[in-house]
Amino acid sequence: MFKLRIRKHEVGLWFRHGDFKGLLEPGAYVLPGRYFGADEVKVISRLSAKFEHTMLDTLIDHPQIVARTTRVELADDERALVWKDDRLGWILTTGRHVFWNGPAKIEVQTYNVNDFAFTHPKIDAVLAFPNASRCFDSVTVEPGETVLLYRDGKLDRQLGPGLFVNWKGAGRVERKIVDLREQVLDVSGQEIMSADKVSLRLNLLVNYRVADARQAVEAVGNYEQALYREAQLALREAVGGRALDKLLADKD
């Protein structure tokens, strides 16, 4: 025989001939000796909150385990935040997870990644969690900017200034940042011949602002390069069709 004491924050997993017989609650026990290989008790602490065991799939359907634990079953497109005593303890991905109902207070929040956008009143704590980068992408849009967010090649949303967080695993995501502030484009060193065959070297400054971010991004591959080419053509048209005297007399 052997004596065993289980403390208040512990439980005992009682096995006989390798089969699970039940939970042993806190208290003192006397069990047959291990010499005969009959009984074995594995004492585990509930302070860690999460119940992990090599035979978990077999144990969790036992009535005593069902009554004392919270089971979290997550499909391929599901994730969960688990809070322990109001502090984030786990970010869970696909699979089966089991938590003891006490002594810690456990709260489970389940999400579907296909909802894409993620918001939470404790967003800073979530993003600061050690493995958060496995589940979340985030972008901070600065004042004067907008971000076009594409999902599987289609525009999903246009973001204004602030923080935006989305789940990973919800498709192929691409972000394009567009500056909406006034910009200056320098078209310098342009060799142009006037109508009376005088060779001129000109510089051009173009002030511009993007009015439609989506059109700027989708109409051409690079709107800044496209604008540069258009400015070159406009300059050549304005200068190449005039004689030098006319050009100097009408600088506007």
Side-chain angles (χ1 to χ4, degrees):
M1 308 295 288
F2 71 94
K3 295 180 179 181
L4 176 70
R5 176 170 293 278
I6 299 176
R7 294 175 293 180
K8 291 182 179 180
H9 64 279
E10 298 173 332
V11 292
L13 302 180
W14 175 28
F15 296 88
R16 173 166 290 174
H17 297 299
D19 294 327
F20 181 64
K21 301 296 292 183
L23 282 181
L24 299 182
E25 300 291 345
Y29 298 87
V30 177
L31 297 171
R34 293 190 180 92
Y35 177 79
F36 297 102
D39 288 9
E40 181 181 357
V41 178
K42 180 176 177 58
V43 179
I44 59 176
S45 172
R46 292 182 293 120
L47 295 180
S48 62
K50 192 172 185 182
F51 177 27
E52 297 179 296
H53 194 276
T54 55
M55 295 176 60
L56 182 64
D57 291 342
T58 300
L59 302 178
I60 57 175
D61 291 326
H62 191 280
Q64 285 183 292
I65 300 291
V66 172
R68 295 293 301 276
T69 59
T70 296
R71 183 189 304 191
V72 183
E73 301 274 1
L74 298 178
D76 290 341
D77 57 355
E78 291 182 321
R79 305 290 183 267
L81 305 182
V82 180
W83 301 81
K84 177 184 176 183
D85 291 331
D86 297 323
R87 294 186 294 272
L88 185 59
W90 296 267
I91 300 178
L92 304 180
T93 57
T94 304
R96 173 178 292 164
H97 312 271
V98 182
F99 297 86
W100 295 106
N101 292 335
K105 182 182 73 172
I106 296 297
E107 179 185 0
V108 180
Q109 299 169 339
T110 305
Y111 301 86
N112 192 303
V113 299
N114 293 315
D115 294 335
F116 193 55
F118 173 77
T119 59
H120 197 279
K122 296 182 178 180
I123 188 67
D124 291 337
V126 174
L127 295 181
F129 197 74
N131 70 339
S133 60
R134 294 171 49 200
C135 298
F136 299 104
D137 273 330
S138 65
V139 59
T140 300
V141 185
E142 301 295 339
E145 292 181 342
T146 188
V147 171
L148 301 176
L149 194 64
Y150 291 85
R151 186 177 172 192
D152 292 330
K154 297 180 180 179
L155 181 65
D156 185 87
R157 64 195 68 200
Q158 183 171 336
L159 308 175
L163 174 67
F164 178 79
V165 182
N166 64 273
W167 291 101
K168 288 184 176 180
R172 179 174 55 85
V173 177
E174 182 182 5
R175 299 182 180 88
K176 295 184 179 181
I177 301 175
V178 180
D179 196 327
L180 300 178
R181 296 169 296 183
E182 185 173 292
Q183 307 289 319
V184 176
L185 183 66
D186 185 5
V187 184
S188 60
Q190 299 300 301
E191 297 286 348
I192 303 175
M193 187 172 292
S194 65
D196 53 353
K197 308 304 181 182
V198 178
S199 181
L200 304 173
R201 184 178 178 87
L202 302 175
N203 298 326
L204 176 66
L205 288 179
V206 180
N207 294 328
Y208 73 94
R209 182 178 64 83
V210 175
D212 188 326
R214 182 176 183 180
Q215 186 177 10
V217 168
E218 295 182 356
V220 293
N222 186 312
Y223 66 86
E224 291 179 329
Q225 290 182 0
L227 180 59
Y228 188 93
R229 291 193 299 270
E230 290 295 325
Q232 285 181 312
L233 294 175
L235 181 60
R236 291 182 182 278
E237 183 179 351
V239 174
R242 303 182 186 185
L244 180 59
D245 292 342
K246 178 63 175 176
L247 194 62
L248 294 176
D250 187 15
K251 293 180 181 179
D252 289 342

Short mmCIF file of all heavy atoms in Angstrom, two decimals, residues 80-106:
data_model
loop_
_atom_site.label_atom_id
_atom_site.label_comp_id
_atom_site.label_asym_id
_atom_site.label_seq_id
_atom_site.Cartn_x
_atom_site.Cartn_y
_atom_site.Cartn_z
N ALA A 80 -9.12 31.34 -30.98
CA ALA A 80 -9.71 31.70 -29.69
C ALA A 80 -8.69 32.44 -28.82
O ALA A 80 -7.50 32.15 -28.86
CB ALA A 80 -10.22 30.46 -28.95
N LEU A 81 -9.21 33.39 -28.07
CA LEU A 81 -8.44 34.05 -27.02
C LEU A 81 -8.93 33.50 -25.68
O LEU A 81 -10.13 33.44 -25.43
CB LEU A 81 -8.65 35.57 -27.05
CG LEU A 81 -8.35 36.31 -28.36
CD1 LEU A 81 -8.58 37.80 -28.17
CD2 LEU A 81 -6.95 36.03 -28.84
N VAL A 82 -7.99 33.08 -24.85
CA VAL A 82 -8.34 32.55 -23.54
C VAL A 82 -7.72 33.46 -22.48
O VAL A 82 -6.51 33.68 -22.45
CB VAL A 82 -7.83 31.11 -23.35
CG1 VAL A 82 -8.21 30.59 -21.97
CG2 VAL A 82 -8.42 30.21 -24.43
N TRP A 83 -8.60 34.00 -21.63
CA TRP A 83 -8.18 34.92 -20.58
C TRP A 83 -8.19 34.20 -19.24
O TRP A 83 -9.16 33.53 -18.89
CB TRP A 83 -9.11 36.13 -20.54
CG TRP A 83 -9.14 36.88 -21.84
CD1 TRP A 83 -9.86 36.57 -22.95
CD2 TRP A 83 -8.38 38.04 -22.16
NE1 TRP A 83 -9.63 37.47 -23.95
CE2 TRP A 83 -8.72 38.39 -23.50
CE3 TRP A 83 -7.47 38.83 -21.46
CZ2 TRP A 83 -8.16 39.49 -24.14
CZ3 TRP A 83 -6.92 39.93 -22.10
CH2 TRP A 83 -7.26 40.25 -23.42
N LYS A 84 -7.09 34.33 -18.53
CA LYS A 84 -6.95 33.72 -17.20
C LYS A 84 -6.90 34.85 -16.17
O LYS A 84 -5.96 35.65 -16.17
CB LYS A 84 -5.67 32.88 -17.14
CG LYS A 84 -5.39 32.26 -15.79
CD LYS A 84 -4.06 31.53 -15.81
CE LYS A 84 -3.71 30.97 -14.44
NZ LYS A 84 -2.37 30.31 -14.44
N ASP A 85 -7.94 34.90 -15.33
CA ASP A 85 -8.04 35.97 -14.33
C ASP A 85 -7.90 37.35 -14.99
O ASP A 85 -7.14 38.21 -14.53
CB ASP A 85 -7.00 35.80 -13.23
CG ASP A 85 -7.29 34.58 -12.36
OD1 ASP A 85 -8.47 34.22 -12.23
OD2 ASP A 85 -6.33 33.99 -11.82
N ASP A 86 -8.61 37.53 -16.13
CA ASP A 86 -8.68 38.78 -16.88
C ASP A 86 -7.37 39.18 -17.54
O ASP A 86 -7.21 40.32 -17.98
CB ASP A 86 -9.17 39.94 -15.97
CG ASP A 86 -10.57 39.69 -15.46
OD1 ASP A 86 -11.39 39.15 -16.23
OD2 ASP A 86 -10.85 40.03 -14.29
N ARG A 87 -6.42 38.26 -17.62
CA ARG A 87 -5.18 38.50 -18.36
C ARG A 87 -5.08 37.47 -19.47
O ARG A 87 -5.40 36.29 -19.28
CB ARG A 87 -3.96 38.41 -17.44
CG ARG A 87 -3.90 39.50 -16.39
CD ARG A 87 -2.58 39.44 -15.61
NE ARG A 87 -2.49 38.23 -14.83
CZ ARG A 87 -2.95 38.09 -13.59
NH1 ARG A 87 -3.54 39.12 -13.00
NH2 ARG A 87 -2.81 36.95 -12.95
N LEU A 88 -4.62 37.92 -20.64
CA LEU A 88 -4.53 37.02 -21.78
C LEU A 88 -3.51 35.92 -21.51
O LEU A 88 -2.34 36.20 -21.22
CB LEU A 88 -4.14 37.80 -23.05
CG LEU A 88 -4.11 36.99 -24.35
CD1 LEU A 88 -5.48 36.38 -24.64
CD2 LEU A 88 -3.68 37.88 -25.51
N GLY A 89 -3.96 34.68 -21.61
CA GLY A 89 -3.08 33.56 -21.32
C GLY A 89 -2.70 32.74 -22.54
O GLY A 89 -1.60 32.20 -22.62
N TRP A 90 -3.63 32.66 -23.53
CA TRP A 90 -3.38 31.83 -24.71
C TRP A 90 -4.09 32.43 -25.93
O TRP A 90 -5.18 33.00 -25.82
CB TRP A 90 -3.90 30.41 -24.52
CG TRP A 90 -3.23 29.64 -23.43
CD1 TRP A 90 -2.16 28.81 -23.54
CD2 TRP A 90 -3.61 29.62 -22.04
NE1 TRP A 90 -1.84 28.27 -22.32
CE2 TRP A 90 -2.71 28.75 -21.37
CE3 TRP A 90 -4.61 30.25 -21.30
CZ2 TRP A 90 -2.79 28.49 -20.02
CZ3 TRP A 90 -4.69 30.00 -19.95
CH2 TRP A 90 -3.79 29.14 -19.32
N ILE A 91 -3.44 32.32 -27.08
CA ILE A 91 -4.10 32.52 -28.37
C ILE A 91 -4.08 31.16 -29.04
O ILE A 91 -3.02 30.64 -29.39
CB ILE A 91 -3.38 33.57 -29.23
CG1 ILE A 91 -3.36 34.93 -28.51
CG2 ILE A 91 -4.07 33.72 -30.58
CD1 ILE A 91 -2.64 36.01 -29.28
N LEU A 92 -5.26 30.58 -29.21
CA LEU A 92 -5.37 29.20 -29.66
C LEU A 92 -5.68 29.11 -31.15
O LEU A 92 -6.43 29.93 -31.68
CB LEU A 92 -6.47 28.47 -28.88
CG LEU A 92 -6.35 28.48 -27.36
CD1 LEU A 92 -7.52 27.72 -26.75
CD2 LEU A 92 -5.04 27.88 -26.90
N THR A 93 -5.09 28.11 -31.79
CA THR A 93 -5.38 27.84 -33.19
C THR A 93 -6.10 26.49 -33.30
O THR A 93 -6.57 25.94 -32.31
CB THR A 93 -4.08 27.83 -34.01
OG1 THR A 93 -3.17 26.86 -33.46
CG2 THR A 93 -3.39 29.20 -33.96
N THR A 94 -6.18 25.97 -34.51
CA THR A 94 -6.94 24.76 -34.79
C THR A 94 -6.59 23.61 -33.83
O THR A 94 -5.42 23.37 -33.54
CB THR A 94 -6.65 24.31 -36.22
OG1 THR A 94 -6.95 25.37 -37.11
CG2 THR A 94 -7.49 23.10 -36.59
N GLY A 95 -7.62 22.93 -33.34
CA GLY A 95 -7.37 21.77 -32.49
C GLY A 95 -8.30 21.71 -31.29
O GLY A 95 -9.27 22.46 -31.17
N ARG A 96 -7.98 20.81 -30.37
CA ARG A 96 -8.75 20.60 -29.14
C ARG A 96 -7.94 21.09 -27.95
O ARG A 96 -6.77 20.74 -27.80
CB ARG A 96 -9.09 19.11 -28.99
CG ARG A 96 -9.76 18.74 -27.69
CD ARG A 96 -10.10 17.26 -27.69
NE ARG A 96 -11.15 16.97 -28.65
CZ ARG A 96 -11.43 15.74 -29.08
NH1 ARG A 96 -10.71 14.71 -28.68
NH2 ARG A 96 -12.41 15.55 -29.94
N HIS A 97 -8.58 21.88 -27.11
CA HIS A 97 -7.91 22.47 -25.95
C HIS A 97 -8.84 22.34 -24.75
O HIS A 97 -10.05 22.55 -24.87
CB HIS A 97 -7.57 23.94 -26.20
CG HIS A 97 -6.91 24.18 -27.53
ND1 HIS A 97 -5.54 24.12 -27.72
CD2 HIS A 97 -7.44 24.46 -28.76
CE1 HIS A 97 -5.26 24.36 -28.99
NE2 HIS A 97 -6.39 24.57 -29.64
N VAL A 98 -8.26 22.03 -23.59
CA VAL A 98 -9.06 21.81 -22.39
C VAL A 98 -8.47 22.62 -21.24
O VAL A 98 -7.24 22.66 -21.05
CB VAL A 98 -9.10 20.31 -22.02
CG1 VAL A 98 -9.97 20.08 -20.79
CG2 VAL A 98 -9.62 19.48 -23.20
N PHE A 99 -9.36 23.25 -20.45
CA PHE A 99 -8.94 24.08 -19.32
C PHE A 99 -9.72 23.70 -18.07
O PHE A 99 -10.92 23.42 -18.13
CB PHE A 99 -9.17 25.57 -19.64
CG PHE A 99 -8.36 26.07 -20.80
CD1 PHE A 99 -8.83 25.94 -22.10
CD2 PHE A 99 -7.12 26.66 -20.59
CE1 PHE A 99 -8.09 26.39 -23.17
CE2 PHE A 99 -6.36 27.11 -21.65
CZ PHE A 99 -6.85 26.98 -22.95
N TRP A 100 -9.02 23.72 -16.93
CA TRP A 100 -9.68 23.48 -15.65
C TRP A 100 -10.58 24.67 -15.31
O TRP A 100 -10.23 25.82 -15.55
CB TRP A 100 -8.65 23.28 -14.55
CG TRP A 100 -7.79 22.06 -14.73
CD1 TRP A 100 -6.50 22.01 -15.11
CD2 TRP A 100 -8.22 20.70 -14.53
NE1 TRP A 100 -6.06 20.72 -15.17
CE2 TRP A 100 -7.09 19.88 -14.82
CE3 TRP A 100 -9.41 20.11 -14.14
CZ2 TRP A 100 -7.13 18.50 -14.73
CZ3 TRP A 100 -9.46 18.72 -14.05
CH2 TRP A 100 -8.34 17.94 -14.33
N ASN A 101 -11.73 24.39 -14.71
CA ASN A 101 -12.67 25.46 -14.35
C ASN A 101 -12.21 26.26 -13.14
O ASN A 101 -12.73 27.35 -12.89
CB ASN A 101 -14.06 24.87 -14.09
CG ASN A 101 -14.70 24.33 -15.34
OD1 ASN A 101 -14.38 24.77 -16.44
ND2 ASN A 101 -15.60 23.37 -15.19
N GLY A 102 -11.31 25.78 -12.38
CA GLY A 102 -10.80 26.51 -11.23
C GLY A 102 -9.37 26.07 -10.96
O GLY A 102 -8.90 25.09 -11.54
N PRO A 103 -8.66 26.75 -10.04
CA PRO A 103 -9.10 27.90 -9.26
C PRO A 103 -9.09 29.23 -10.02
O PRO A 103 -9.68 30.21 -9.59
CB PRO A 103 -8.10 27.93 -8.10
CG PRO A 103 -6.85 27.35 -8.70
CD PRO A 103 -7.31 26.28 -9.66
N ALA A 104 -8.42 29.29 -11.18
CA ALA A 104 -8.39 30.53 -11.95
C ALA A 104 -9.70 30.72 -12.71
O ALA A 104 -10.38 29.75 -13.07
CB ALA A 104 -7.21 30.52 -12.93
N LYS A 105 -10.05 31.98 -12.97
CA LYS A 105 -11.23 32.28 -13.77
C LYS A 105 -10.83 32.24 -15.24
O LYS A 105 -9.93 32.95 -15.67
CB LYS A 105 -11.79 33.66 -13.42
CG LYS A 105 -13.06 34.01 -14.19
CD LYS A 105 -13.56 35.41 -13.86
CE LYS A 105 -12.67 36.46 -14.49
NZ LYS A 105 -13.21 37.83 -14.36
N ILE A 106 -11.50 31.40 -16.00
CA ILE A 106 -11.18 31.21 -17.41
C ILE A 106 -12.32 31.77 -18.27
O ILE A 106 -13.49 31.45 -18.05
CB ILE A 106 -10.96 29.72 -17.73
CG1 ILE A 106 -9.74 29.18 -16.98
CG2 ILE A 106 -10.77 29.52 -19.23
CD1 ILE A 106 -8.43 29.83 -17.37
#
